[in-house]
Amino acid sequence: MAEQPGHQHPQLQHQCRGQDPLQGRTVQHCPRGRLLLVCVFDLGHKANACSIASQRRYGLVGPNGKGKSTLLKMIASKDLILPPRVDFLYVEQEVQADNTPAVDAVLKADKIRWNLLEEEKTLTAAIDGGDDDPKKFQRLQEVLDELNTIGASAAEAKARRILFGLGFNGEMQTKPTKMFSGGWRMRISLARALFIEPTLLMLDEPTNHLDLDAVIWLDNYLLTWKKTLLIVSHDQDFLNSVCDEILHIEDLKLASYKGNYDSFKKAEKAKLKQQLKDYEKQEKRLRELKRQGQSKAKATETVKKNTKREPGARAKKQKEAVASGQDTAKMQELIKRPKEYSVKIHFPEVAELSRPVMEVNRVFFRYSEKHPVIFDCIDFGIDMDSRICIVGPNGAGKSTLLKLLTGEIQPVKGEVKRNPRLRMGIYNQHFVDRLPMNKTPIEHLRDRYQEEDYQSIRNRLGKYGLEGHAHEVTMRDLSGGQKARVVFVDLSLQKPHILLLDEPTNNLDIETIDALITAVNEFNGGIVCVTHDQRLIDECDCELWVVKDEDAKKWPNGFNDYKEDILTKLEQQAAKEDQIRNERLEAAAKEREEKLARFKAKAGK
């Protein structure tokens, strides 16, 4: 069936919702800053208007569970009224697992180009086979002209560069998608989105499935993005680098702040300070009226009537009410006491253990004789003052190294020695998924720590950011972020000497990551962490250990130097592959010209 404008192509249904982004060739793009779309929606039965301007990069932020992902899905599923000619794409699911090579899965996203290439192959094969139909020769010439017009020859180089930046080497790019895990297929979905460049691209936690090297590349790549971006991310450094405007969900409303995430935090702090002043002034007035003999209801009514609106607020409220189909409120509401969302994580102080706390002696490891060697004769020690962040590309062995340290797997040769008094606090997705799904957080933690009473467990869960209603909900009904908080409470109660954390920021909001950073900095034990979160590395003053080439070595010159090294090497390798590919393209173009000349000669006889 032929594609129709505004209809979803079947090949894209697994990856996004919304208008087919490939119709973007006919979309008239707005100048930077021009209004792209206005969405009217409800968050908890409160009318909201969200304006998205062309060619701006938005970060959508707010605590877990406040509706960030829901808003993206509402836009993508057209639950909101959108302009008919805005093409958009929401990267939500991994690509289909089948025999399609990874690079072709990306190239197929541009259906116009792909269909022209398939038609070229069919027509060429027919003419080569002796078909003298002049209409086919004419159509072949038209197809070749169209391919040249859209710059089809450069598409493969672009697709491969994107895949390479996201961690796919040349061999991986030719593997069928069914050979990849879900996380790697999510990377292919992201590559497809970056390749076709829709007018509005919506990304929900794009760094969750990436290693640090790929995050560094994506951060750099999006700096030059010319279309409109709407990103949900917990990575504060990523938001600071990429975004030029922040949309914040607060009090069931969406507020816009110019600038990056740091600018937003400064503006939000000033706003909360002013709201607190206004609240205190209002409460003072209420007390005065009550002392004058007015009832609570009468005093409240008087304050509501006399509350001054901000300049232009009446017009703004009227506009929002008209847009949402509601009447304007006739009377101001009382100012609520502003409450800043905060999370507190704490790992208790522990007695110091004698050195070495952990010792890795000449360890050799691979999963089987059929698998490649991951580590060969690695030696190092870890103590309670160690602050180590393990980095390196996916598949190099970062998580494997943590498993060797925890004892989950054993070395093939060599040994890992641990102080017999050592308590290890282990965090990874496996531990989150292994929570008892039929128990509530309170039941689970009280079963494990019977010396803790009901209220103390509730207090801990509340401080760690788990809402009160979720304390008595079974684990199966909790979100990933809520379950992560239960595991962090568990870690705290274990009183570990060393924390071994594998991607601890996944599923956490920015405020909880702030709390985790503070807790790590205050902790007197050791830290070994695998993370793609650049701020966690920077602010916890971690040493970088790079896992590659069957070894784990300290990076001597700090995180910024590591970032520069990654980008330089990626660019050099991509340029090298581009040169090889260009030579092949030139040879193919020459062969095509010669074949076309033969067709012309044959047609002229």
Side-chain angles (χ1 to χ4, degrees):
M1 183 180 73
E3 292 177 53
Q4 299 296 324
H7 287 270
Q8 178 80 28
H9 190 282
Q11 290 186 2
L12 283 177
Q13 286 177 354
H14 63 266
Q15 125 170 37
C16 67
R17 298 192 185 109
Q19 184 172 330
D20 185 350
L22 302 174
Q23 303 301 325
R25 294 191 186 283
T26 62
V27 171
Q28 294 181 348
H29 299 299
C30 301
R32 179 174 173 79
R34 183 78 58 82
L35 191 64
L36 184 69
L37 59 92
V38 178
C39 307
V40 178
F41 57 95
D42 283 338
L43 286 173
H45 307 293
K46 287 197 176 185
N48 284 264
C50 170
S51 299
I52 305 293
S54 175
Q55 299 178 32
R56 293 189 67 83
R57 301 189 296 268
Y58 293 89
L60 178 59
V61 300
N64 281 359
K66 296 300 182 182
K68 300 184 297 294
S69 297
T70 300
L71 179 57
L72 295 191
K73 290 175 182 177
M74 287 169 69
I75 295 173
S77 61
K78 295 187 178 180
D79 288 343
L80 310 179
I81 300 172
L82 302 172
R85 295 184 69 78
V86 171
D87 62 308
F88 55 87
L89 186 121
Y90 173 43
V91 181
E92 182 181 23
Q93 296 176 335
E94 66 265 16
V95 298
Q96 186 175 343
D98 56 24
N99 290 314
T100 306
V103 66
D104 284 352
V106 175
L107 290 168
K108 279 184 176 180
D110 186 343
K111 294 189 289 295
I112 294 174
R113 175 187 175 276
W114 187 265
N115 291 340
L116 286 171
L117 287 173
E118 292 297 302
E119 188 176 0
E120 181 200 2
K121 289 178 186 177
T122 302
L123 291 169
T124 301
I127 295 171
D128 276 345
D131 191 332
D132 295 333
D133 185 349
K135 289 183 179 179
K136 287 187 177 177
F137 175 76
Q138 182 182 354
R139 177 55 188 160
L140 177 60
Q141 185 66 60
E142 291 171 353
V143 168
L144 293 173
D145 289 343
E146 286 185 55
L147 286 169
N148 185 57
T149 299
I150 65 174
S153 60
E156 184 175 346
K158 177 183 175 182
R160 287 186 178 274
R161 266 182 172 261
I162 292 170
L163 284 170
F164 189 75
L166 292 174
F168 294 80
N169 60 30
E171 181 185 353
M172 292 172 70
Q173 291 179 20
T174 60
K175 283 185 178 180
T177 57
K178 69 181 182 182
M179 299 292 288
F180 294 101
S181 67
W184 281 98
R185 292 202 303 276
M186 273 301 302
R187 294 189 188 210
I188 298 173
S189 280
L190 177 57
R192 285 163 63 90
L194 297 174
F195 175 69
I196 58 178
E197 298 185 8
T199 301
L200 172 60
L201 174 58
M202 295 176 285
L203 303 176
D204 194 349
E205 299 290 2
T207 63
N208 267 6
H209 300 280
L210 304 181
D211 55 62
L212 180 61
D213 293 7
V215 171
I216 291 170
W217 175 86
L218 181 62
D219 184 317
N220 188 68
Y221 187 82
L222 291 178
L223 287 177
T224 57
W225 190 259
K226 302 300 183 186
K227 306 291 183 65
T228 306
L229 272 176
L230 183 54
I231 303 172
V232 172
S233 178
H234 65 261
D235 190 325
Q236 186 170 322
D237 267 21
F238 185 76
L239 291 171
N240 270 332
S241 179
V242 172
C243 298
D244 47 28
E245 190 163 340
I246 299 296
L247 302 175
H248 182 234
I249 297 177
E250 52 190 59
D251 191 26
L252 302 179
K253 294 180 180 179
L254 200 62
S256 175
Y257 297 82
K258 301 293 184 186
N260 63 12
Y261 187 81
D262 280 348
S263 299
F264 150 69
K265 289 302 288 183
K266 289 177 183 176
E268 185 194 33
K269 187 175 181 180
K271 185 177 179 178
L272 285 170
K273 187 177 180 180
Q274 184 58 49
Q275 285 177 345
L276 184 58
K277 284 183 179 178
D278 292 343
Y279 171 78
E280 289 172 348
K281 184 178 178 181
Q282 168 193 275
E283 294 303 295
K284 182 180 178 182
R285 179 60 179 154
L286 282 171
R287 288 193 297 270
E288 288 174 354
L289 291 172
K290 288 177 186 176
R291 283 198 298 269
Q292 293 170 11
Q294 289 192 17
S295 67
K296 181 179 178 181
K298 181 64 177 175
T300 299
E301 184 181 348
T302 302
V303 170
K304 282 182 178 182
K305 286 181 178 179
N306 294 336
T307 299
K308 292 182 180 179
R309 295 178 182 269
E310 295 177 12
R314 185 182 299 275
K316 183 179 178 182
K317 190 162 188 177
Q318 179 67 38
K319 183 178 178 182
E320 288 177 354
V322 171
S324 62
Q326 297 178 354
D327 292 328
T328 306
K330 300 297 182 184
M331 190 180 293
Q332 277 282 67
E333 293 298 321
L334 285 183
I335 300 168
K336 295 179 182 177
R337 183 181 182 87
K339 185 178 179 182
E340 189 173 4
Y341 171 63
S342 63
V343 179
K344 175 69 175 176
I345 295 176
H346 174 69
F347 301 113
E349 186 172 342
V350 287
E352 190 169 347
L353 300 179
S354 58
R355 296 170 180 259
V357 175
M358 300 182 75
E359 196 173 5
V360 178
N361 294 323
R362 302 182 65 80
V363 164
F364 173 92
F365 182 81
R366 62 181 172 187
Y367 283 98
S368 75
E369 292 186 359
K370 295 180 180 179
H371 289 85
V373 174
I374 297 178
F375 294 113
D376 187 8
C377 202
I378 57 172
D379 275 288
F380 59 86
I382 296 172
D383 297 305
M384 286 184 63
D385 59 357
S386 297
R387 288 286 192 276
I388 297 167
C389 180
I390 303 169
V391 299
N394 268 18
K398 301 186 296 295
S399 295
T400 299
L401 182 55
L402 283 186
K403 290 176 182 178
L404 285 166
L405 294 176
T406 62
E408 185 177 339
I409 56 177
Q410 300 301 319
V412 176
K413 297 177 185 177
E415 63 179 345
V416 179
K417 293 182 178 179
R418 303 173 190 85
N419 187 305
R421 294 168 54 208
L422 172 65
R423 290 189 300 272
M424 295 181 290
I426 303 167
Y427 180 96
N428 57 38
Q429 192 57 47
H430 176 62
F431 273 71
V432 174
D433 294 339
R434 217 170 61 183
L435 288 169
M437 293 297 111
N438 61 332
K439 289 186 178 181
T440 68
I442 289 179
E443 289 170 345
H444 167 63
L445 292 170
R446 290 203 69 192
D447 284 350
R448 283 178 55 78
Y449 306 98
Q450 295 181 8
E451 70 278 9
E452 297 287 335
D453 62 32
Y454 175 86
Q455 193 56 48
S456 69
I457 293 291
R458 289 209 66 160
N459 290 343
R460 285 180 182 269
L461 289 169
K463 287 179 180 178
Y464 281 51
L466 188 67
E467 307 92 329
H469 69 85
H471 298 180
E472 302 284 5
V473 174
T474 55
M475 301 286 190
R476 69 168 57 89
D477 296 320
L478 298 181
S479 68
Q482 290 171 322
K483 285 186 279 194
R485 286 164 164 75
V486 177
V487 175
F488 276 117
V489 172
D490 196 332
L491 282 183
S492 175
L493 290 168
Q494 290 176 34
K495 301 179 180 177
H497 297 97
I498 289 182
L499 290 168
L500 298 116
L501 311 174
D502 193 353
E503 296 294 358
T505 62
N506 281 0
N507 297 316
L508 300 183
D509 54 34
I510 292 173
E511 291 81 1
T512 307
I513 296 172
D514 286 340
L516 177 61
I517 289 170
T518 300
V520 166
N521 286 331
E522 292 175 350
F523 181 48
N524 74 321
I527 304 286
V528 182
C529 181
V530 173
T531 183
H532 63 260
D533 193 290
Q534 302 174 47
R535 199 164 60 95
L536 184 62
I537 299 169
D538 259 349
E539 297 197 12
C540 292
D541 197 24
C542 291
E543 291 182 347
L544 286 188
W545 285 19
V546 182
V547 172
K548 67 175 183 178
D549 302 329
E550 302 172 4
D551 203 354
K553 292 182 178 178
K554 180 181 175 181
W555 185 266
N557 299 319
F559 181 61
N560 287 333
D561 182 73
Y562 178 75
K563 285 173 67 174
E564 290 298 323
D565 184 75
I566 289 297
L567 291 172
T568 300
K569 286 180 177 177
L570 283 172
E571 186 58 38
Q572 289 173 347
Q573 185 63 33
K576 184 178 178 180
E577 293 193 7
D578 280 352
Q579 184 178 355
I580 297 171
R581 201 157 39 245
N582 287 336
E583 290 172 358
R584 291 175 182 168
L585 285 172
E586 288 172 6
K590 185 177 180 181
E591 182 182 347
R592 191 182 296 112
E593 287 175 6
E594 291 172 354
K595 186 176 289 187
L596 200 57
R598 290 198 301 272
F599 290 161
K600 285 181 179 179
K602 185 177 180 180
K605 290 181 180 179

